């Protein structure tokens, strides 16, 4: 049985969501369906225009708070993340993103590039990212305890960092990124993302 993919309404500020989405949370959906769907009928007051959150499938809730699809227009320029305890696994499909150092006021063009497949760690202060072009991405909001179970001691070193997933977990996620590029729509992308995570967590049962 395949699991539902539900868009969900904001449920107050939650750590781990990006700037425009600082007040957009991911809540769980308990309604199983026979096939994955993108539920556009749920109420979504004041949604951030660039981010759509989705509920975590029941079997992945010990690992993730939810998933997000990001579509930031070329004119957005920057996005900001609040301080957060969760990490984000981000696979960027288009555009360029640079991580602006905290307190930096200089030209963002000098900021380091964010890898297309990145693991953005927790942060004790807000984070800023500069966009170049139209940015689209999919991501998972990882629970802190899940990162510790997955990465072991390295997970404790992620605070304030955003390493390439290849450096953290080998080339697996680069292959997932390639497959996401070929996906036909958001439903297929999220199904692929969740199934990919299932393959990884089978090696680290909780």
């Amino acid at each position: 049985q395949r699991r539902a993919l539900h868009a969900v309404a904001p449920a107050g500020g939650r750590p781990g969501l990006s700037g425009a989405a600082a007040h957009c949370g991911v809540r769980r959906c308990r309604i199983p369906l026979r096939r994955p769907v993108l539920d556009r009928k749920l109420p979504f007051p004041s949604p951030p225009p660039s981010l759509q959150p989705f509920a975590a499938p029941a079997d992945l809730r010990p690992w993730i708070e939810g998933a997000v699809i990001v579509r930031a227009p070329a004119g957005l320029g920057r996005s900001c993340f609040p301080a957060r305890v969760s990490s984000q696994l981000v696979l960027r499909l288009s555009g360029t993103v640079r991580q602006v150092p905290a307190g930096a006021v200089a030209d963002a063009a000098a900021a380091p590039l964010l890898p297309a497949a990145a693991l953005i760690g927790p942060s004790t202060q807000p984070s800023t990212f500069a966009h170049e072009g139209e940015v689209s991405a999919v991501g998972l909001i990882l629970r802190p305890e899940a990162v510790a179970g997955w990465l072991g001691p390295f997970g404790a070193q992620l605070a304030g960092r955003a390493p390439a997933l290849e450096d953290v977990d080998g080339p697996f996620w680069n292959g997932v990124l390639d497959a996401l590029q070929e996906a036909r729509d958001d439903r297929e992308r999220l199904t692929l993302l969740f199934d990919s995570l299932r393959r990884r967590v089978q090696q680290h049962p909780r």
Side-chain angles (χ1 to χ4, degrees):
Q1 179 176 335
R2 304 181 71 183
R3 293 167 176 83
L5 308 178
H6 283 284
V8 294
R14 290 288 299 274
L17 295 180
S18 62
H23 299 290
C24 181
V26 176
R27 64 176 174 82
R28 298 169 182 167
C29 175
R30 298 192 178 94
I31 305 174
L33 296 181
R34 293 187 177 277
R35 61 185 178 87
V37 298
L38 301 184
D39 190 343
R40 304 298 185 186
K41 297 180 180 180
L42 295 178
F44 211 108
S46 303
S50 61
L51 184 148
Q52 179 75 56
F54 291 85
D59 64 313
L60 293 179
R61 288 175 192 163
W63 291 87
I64 62 174
E65 296 179 13
V68 293
I69 291 177
V70 178
R71 285 200 181 82
L76 180 62
R78 293 193 179 196
S79 61
C80 298
F81 288 66
R84 61 198 181 276
V85 298
S86 57
S87 299
Q88 301 178 53
L89 188 157
V90 179
L91 300 172
R92 191 173 69 254
L93 306 176
S94 66
T96 299
V97 177
R98 296 178 181 274
Q99 187 170 12
V100 181
V105 295
D107 187 356
L113 288 169
L114 187 72
L119 182 61
I120 302 174
S123 178
T124 58
Q125 56 188 332
S127 306
T128 301
F129 297 88
H131 298 200
E132 299 174 14
E134 183 176 342
V135 174
S136 63
V138 295
L140 299 171
I141 311 301
L142 303 173
R143 296 186 180 279
E145 62 273 22
V147 174
W150 174 24
L151 299 179
F154 184 82
Q157 305 172 24
L158 277 176
R161 300 177 57 194
L165 276 166
E166 184 174 17
D167 296 337
V168 175
D169 197 37
F172 174 81
W173 293 101
N174 290 336
V176 176
L177 180 59
D178 291 340
L180 289 170
Q181 295 280 11
E182 301 297 325
R184 294 168 296 181
D185 53 30
D186 289 343
R187 175 167 50 208
E188 188 171 317
R189 291 183 187 97
L190 286 177
T191 299
L192 175 62
L193 190 61
F194 290 144
D195 286 345
S196 299
L197 181 62
R198 287 186 182 99
R199 290 199 297 274
R200 300 312 284 164
V201 303
Q202 284 174 357
Q203 302 175 10
H204 304 278
R206 298 181 61 235

